[in-house]
Amino acid sequence: DTAVSQTPKYLVTQMGNDKSIKCEQNLGHDTMYWYKQDSKKFLKIMFSYNNKELIINETVPNRFSPKSPDKAHLNLHINSLELGDSAVYFCASSRDGGNEQFFGPGTRLTVL
Amino acid sequence: GQQLNQSPQSMFIQEGEDVSMNCTSSSIFNTWLWYKQDPGEGPVLLIALYKAGELTSNGRLTAQFGITRKDSFLNISASIPSDVGIYFCAGQPNAGNNRKLIWGLGTSLAVNP
Protein backbone atom coordinates (compact mmCIF):
# COMPACT_ATOMS: atom_id res chain seq x y z
CA ASP A 1 0.00 0.00 0.00
CA THR A 2 1.18 3.52 -0.69
CA ALA A 3 1.50 5.36 2.59
CA VAL A 4 3.60 7.07 5.20
CA SER A 5 4.90 4.52 7.69
CA GLN A 6 6.64 4.96 11.02
CA THR A 7 8.46 2.63 13.37
CA PRO A 8 8.08 1.90 16.17
CA LYS A 9 4.41 2.49 16.94
CA TYR A 10 5.12 2.59 20.68
CA LEU A 11 8.35 3.46 22.46
CA VAL A 12 8.78 3.30 26.22
CA THR A 13 12.15 4.27 27.62
CA GLN A 14 13.96 5.69 30.62
CA MET A 15 15.05 9.29 31.07
CA GLY A 16 18.51 9.93 29.74
CA ASN A 17 18.36 7.29 27.01
CA ASP A 18 18.86 7.96 23.30
CA LYS A 19 16.25 6.72 20.84
CA SER A 20 15.37 6.94 17.16
CA ILE A 21 12.11 6.95 15.24
CA LYS A 22 12.06 6.05 11.56
CA CYS A 23 9.75 7.28 8.81
CA GLU A 24 9.36 6.18 5.21
CA GLN A 25 6.99 7.34 2.49
CA ASN A 26 6.37 5.68 -0.85
CA LEU A 27 4.15 8.41 -2.24
CA GLY A 28 6.95 9.89 -4.32
CA HIS A 29 6.83 13.09 -2.29
CA ASP A 30 9.78 15.47 -2.01
CA THR A 31 9.05 17.02 1.36
CA MET A 32 8.82 15.31 4.75
CA TYR A 33 7.97 16.62 8.21
CA TRP A 34 8.14 15.75 11.88
CA TYR A 35 5.38 16.93 14.20
CA LYS A 36 4.95 16.59 17.95
CA GLN A 37 1.42 16.19 19.34
CA ASP A 38 1.14 16.85 23.04
CA SER A 39 -1.52 15.70 25.48
CA LYS A 40 -3.74 18.64 24.47
CA LYS A 41 -3.61 17.37 20.87
CA PHE A 42 -1.87 20.45 19.46
CA LEU A 43 0.19 19.58 16.37
CA LYS A 44 3.53 21.37 16.52
CA ILE A 45 5.85 21.34 13.53
CA MET A 46 9.42 20.42 14.45
CA PHE A 47 11.35 19.90 11.23
CA SER A 48 10.90 19.63 7.50
CA TYR A 49 13.18 18.33 4.77
CA ASN A 50 12.87 18.89 1.05
CA ASN A 51 14.98 16.57 -1.09
CA LYS A 52 17.27 15.86 1.88
CA GLU A 53 17.68 19.58 2.66
CA LEU A 54 16.48 20.99 6.00
CA ILE A 55 13.94 23.75 5.27
CA ILE A 56 12.03 24.11 8.54
CA ASN A 57 13.75 23.99 11.90
CA GLU A 58 11.47 25.24 14.63
CA THR A 59 12.53 26.06 18.17
CA VAL A 60 13.35 22.51 19.18
CA PRO A 61 16.05 21.47 21.69
CA ASN A 62 19.23 20.38 19.93
CA ARG A 63 18.78 16.98 21.57
CA PHE A 64 16.48 16.35 18.59
CA SER A 65 18.32 15.67 15.35
CA PRO A 66 16.54 14.78 12.12
CA LYS A 67 18.32 12.88 9.38
CA SER A 68 17.16 12.34 5.82
CA PRO A 69 19.26 9.73 3.98
CA ASP A 70 17.09 10.14 0.88
CA LYS A 71 13.86 11.91 0.00
CA ALA A 72 11.76 8.88 0.96
CA HIS A 73 13.10 8.65 4.51
CA LEU A 74 13.23 11.02 7.45
CA ASN A 75 14.42 9.75 10.80
CA LEU A 76 14.35 11.48 14.17
CA HIS A 77 17.03 10.85 16.77
CA ILE A 78 16.52 12.09 20.31
CA ASN A 79 19.39 12.25 22.80
CA SER A 80 19.16 12.36 26.58
CA LEU A 81 15.41 11.87 26.69
CA GLU A 82 13.44 13.92 29.22
CA LEU A 83 10.02 13.42 30.76
CA GLY A 84 8.67 16.33 28.70
CA ASP A 85 9.54 14.54 25.49
CA SER A 86 6.64 12.16 26.10
CA ALA A 87 4.20 12.75 23.25
CA VAL A 88 3.03 11.32 19.96
CA TYR A 89 5.40 12.07 17.09
CA PHE A 90 3.98 12.16 13.57
CA CYS A 91 5.81 12.01 10.30
CA ALA A 92 4.16 13.55 7.24
CA SER A 93 4.99 14.13 3.60
CA SER A 94 3.85 16.34 0.75
CA ARG A 95 4.67 17.05 -2.86
CA ASP A 96 7.29 19.74 -3.36
CA GLY A 97 5.46 23.04 -3.08
CA GLY A 98 2.21 21.32 -2.10
CA ASN A 99 0.27 22.10 1.04
CA GLU A 100 -1.55 18.79 1.34
CA GLN A 101 0.36 16.81 3.93
CA PHE A 102 -0.15 13.09 4.45
CA PHE A 103 0.51 11.71 7.91
CA GLY A 104 1.91 8.49 9.27
CA PRO A 105 0.21 6.58 12.11
CA GLY A 106 2.34 8.17 14.81
CA THR A 107 4.86 6.96 17.38
CA ARG A 108 3.77 7.22 21.00
CA LEU A 109 6.88 7.97 23.05
CA THR A 110 6.69 7.53 26.82
CA VAL A 111 9.68 8.58 28.91
CA LEU A 112 9.72 7.19 32.43
CA GLY B 1 4.01 29.80 17.36
CA GLN B 2 1.04 31.07 15.35
CA GLN B 3 -2.23 29.21 15.78
CA LEU B 4 -5.61 29.34 14.17
CA ASN B 5 -8.72 30.02 16.24
CA GLN B 6 -10.85 26.91 15.86
CA SER B 7 -14.29 26.58 17.40
CA PRO B 8 -16.03 24.99 19.04
CA GLN B 9 -13.42 23.19 21.10
CA SER B 10 -15.73 20.21 21.53
CA MET B 11 -19.19 19.07 20.52
CA PHE B 12 -21.49 16.33 21.76
CA ILE B 13 -24.38 15.64 19.40
CA GLN B 14 -27.05 13.09 18.61
CA GLU B 15 -26.67 10.79 15.62
CA GLY B 16 -28.37 12.33 12.61
CA GLU B 17 -27.68 15.95 13.58
CA ASP B 18 -25.72 18.34 11.41
CA VAL B 19 -22.44 19.77 12.68
CA SER B 20 -20.65 23.04 11.95
CA MET B 21 -17.20 24.14 12.97
CA ASN B 22 -15.01 27.00 11.88
CA CYS B 23 -11.53 28.36 11.84
CA THR B 24 -10.37 31.96 11.77
CA SER B 25 -7.05 33.71 11.42
CA SER B 26 -5.84 37.27 11.82
CA SER B 27 -4.05 37.18 8.46
CA ILE B 28 -4.88 36.18 4.91
CA PHE B 29 -4.45 32.55 3.96
CA ASN B 30 -3.86 30.99 0.52
CA THR B 31 -4.96 27.49 1.45
CA TRP B 32 -7.30 25.92 3.97
CA LEU B 33 -7.21 22.23 4.85
CA TRP B 34 -9.47 20.13 7.03
CA TYR B 35 -8.22 16.94 8.69
CA LYS B 36 -9.81 14.28 10.88
CA GLN B 37 -7.89 12.32 13.49
CA ASP B 38 -9.25 9.06 14.84
CA PRO B 39 -7.98 7.83 18.23
CA GLY B 40 -4.53 6.27 17.92
CA GLU B 41 -4.15 7.32 14.29
CA GLY B 42 -2.60 10.13 12.31
CA PRO B 43 -4.63 13.01 10.86
CA VAL B 44 -6.30 12.22 7.53
CA LEU B 45 -6.93 14.92 4.96
CA LEU B 46 -10.65 15.46 4.32
CA ILE B 47 -10.88 18.54 2.14
CA ALA B 48 -8.43 21.06 0.65
CA LEU B 49 -9.50 24.56 -0.42
CA TYR B 50 -7.44 26.86 -2.61
CA LYS B 51 -9.66 29.73 -3.71
CA ALA B 52 -11.61 32.38 -1.79
CA GLY B 53 -15.29 31.51 -1.83
CA GLU B 54 -14.63 27.92 -2.87
CA LEU B 55 -17.18 25.41 -1.59
CA THR B 56 -16.12 21.76 -1.74
CA SER B 57 -17.90 18.59 -0.68
CA ASN B 58 -16.62 15.14 0.24
CA GLY B 59 -19.61 12.92 0.88
CA ARG B 60 -21.50 14.32 3.87
CA LEU B 61 -18.73 16.86 4.49
CA THR B 62 -18.74 20.35 3.03
CA ALA B 63 -16.08 22.98 3.55
CA GLN B 64 -15.82 26.58 2.44
CA PHE B 65 -12.93 28.98 1.96
CA GLY B 66 -14.14 32.29 3.38
CA ILE B 67 -14.41 35.30 1.08
CA THR B 68 -12.18 37.37 3.36
CA ARG B 69 -9.54 34.58 3.12
CA LYS B 70 -9.31 34.72 6.91
CA ASP B 71 -11.71 31.91 7.73
CA SER B 72 -13.02 28.51 6.75
CA PHE B 73 -15.99 26.37 7.71
CA LEU B 74 -16.59 22.63 7.84
CA ASN B 75 -20.07 21.18 7.95
CA ILE B 76 -21.00 17.55 8.50
CA SER B 77 -24.53 16.54 7.61
CA ALA B 78 -26.53 13.68 9.15
CA SER B 79 -23.78 12.66 11.57
CA ILE B 80 -23.08 8.99 12.25
CA PRO B 81 -21.09 7.34 15.05
CA SER B 82 -17.97 6.93 12.92
CA ASP B 83 -17.75 10.74 12.61
CA VAL B 84 -16.34 10.72 16.14
CA GLY B 85 -12.83 12.13 16.29
CA ILE B 86 -10.86 15.35 16.35
CA TYR B 87 -11.20 17.69 13.40
CA PHE B 88 -8.31 20.03 12.67
CA CYS B 89 -8.16 23.01 10.38
CA ALA B 90 -4.82 24.02 8.90
CA GLY B 91 -3.85 26.81 6.58
CA GLN B 92 -1.08 28.25 4.49
CA PRO B 93 -0.55 31.97 5.19
CA ASN B 94 -0.10 34.37 2.30
CA ALA B 95 3.21 35.51 3.78
CA GLY B 96 6.06 33.60 5.35
CA ASN B 97 7.44 30.10 4.83
CA ASN B 98 5.27 28.58 2.14
CA ARG B 99 5.85 25.05 3.32
CA LYS B 100 4.76 25.58 6.92
CA LEU B 101 1.12 24.99 7.79
CA ILE B 102 -0.54 26.79 10.67
CA TRP B 103 -2.84 24.56 12.71
CA GLY B 104 -5.96 24.98 14.80
CA LEU B 105 -6.29 23.34 18.20
CA GLY B 106 -8.95 20.93 17.00
CA THR B 107 -12.65 20.31 17.50
CA SER B 108 -13.42 17.11 19.37
CA LEU B 109 -16.68 15.56 18.13
CA ALA B 110 -18.66 12.98 20.04
CA VAL B 111 -21.79 11.39 18.53
CA ASN B 112 -24.42 9.73 20.66
CA PRO B 113 -26.02 6.82 18.74
Side-chain angles (χ1 to χ4, degrees):
Chain A
D1 290 341
T2 56
V4 180
S5 58
Q6 295 178 228
T7 54
K9 175 76 171 173
Y10 300 95
L11 186 53
V12 181
T13 188
Q14 298 286 332
M15 265 196 318
N17 284 349
D18 303 338
K19 291 292 179 186
S20 292
I21 308 172
K22 296 186 176 182
C23 179
E24 176 181 1
Q25 56 91 7
N26 59 6
L27 297 166
H29 290 166
D30 298 286
T31 307
M32 297 184 72
Y33 310 81
W34 277 112
Y35 284 85
K36 179 181 181 181
Q37 186 175 47
D38 59 25
S39 57
K40 294 184 179 179
K41 304 300 182 184
F42 179 61
L43 282 160
K44 179 177 166 52
I45 182 72
M46 299 173 68
F47 302 102
S48 177
Y49 271 74
N50 176 258
N51 280 318
K52 302 193 294 176
E53 179 186 351
L54 182 65
I55 57 170
I56 296 176
N57 186 355
E58 292 294 284
T59 307
V60 176
N62 58 14
R63 298 181 294 104
F64 290 78
S65 54
K67 284 189 172 55
S68 181
D70 55 61
K71 71 176 189 178
H73 296 83
L74 181 61
N75 304 323
L76 183 65
H77 188 75
I78 315 170
N79 288 328
S80 304
L81 279 155
E82 300 178 357
L83 292 176
D85 297 333
S86 295
V88 182
Y89 291 84
F90 286 103
C91 177
S93 72
S94 68
R95 288 184 301 107
D96 187 18
N99 293 317
E100 297 177 22
Q101 296 180 13
F102 295 83
F103 284 77
T107 295
R108 180 174 291 278
L109 171 64
T110 303
V111 182
L112 303 174
Chain B
Q2 186 181 357
Q3 295 173 5
L4 295 172
N5 296 313
Q6 187 171 348
S7 64
Q9 186 175 1
S10 61
M11 304 181 74
F12 186 85
I13 61 170
Q14 294 294 123
E15 183 176 359
E17 289 184 4
D18 297 343
V19 172
S20 288
M21 60 191 79
N22 70 79
C23 225
T24 60
S25 79
S26 57
S27 56
I28 290 173
F29 275 44
N30 291 329
T31 302
W32 287 96
L33 305 167
W34 286 93
Y35 286 82
K36 182 193 178 196
Q37 184 176 20
D38 289 329
E41 302 292 333
V44 174
L45 182 63
L46 299 173
I47 294 177
L49 303 160
Y50 292 98
K51 190 175 175 183
E54 180 181 354
L55 186 71
T56 298
S57 292
N58 178 4
R60 293 178 295 104
L61 277 61
T62 302
Q64 184 163 25
F65 192 138
I67 288 291
T68 65
R69 297 174 64 190
K70 292 183 178 182
D71 57 8
S72 179
F73 303 87
L74 175 70
N75 296 320
I76 305 173
S77 62
S79 59
I80 58 178
S82 61
D83 290 334
V84 166
I86 302 176
Y87 292 79
F88 289 99
C89 62
Q92 173 59 63
N94 189 43
N97 188 323
N98 65 3
R99 291 189 176 93
K100 180 179 170 183
L101 292 179
I102 308 301
W103 291 82
L105 294 178
T107 294
S108 179
L109 178 64
V111 179
N112 190 29

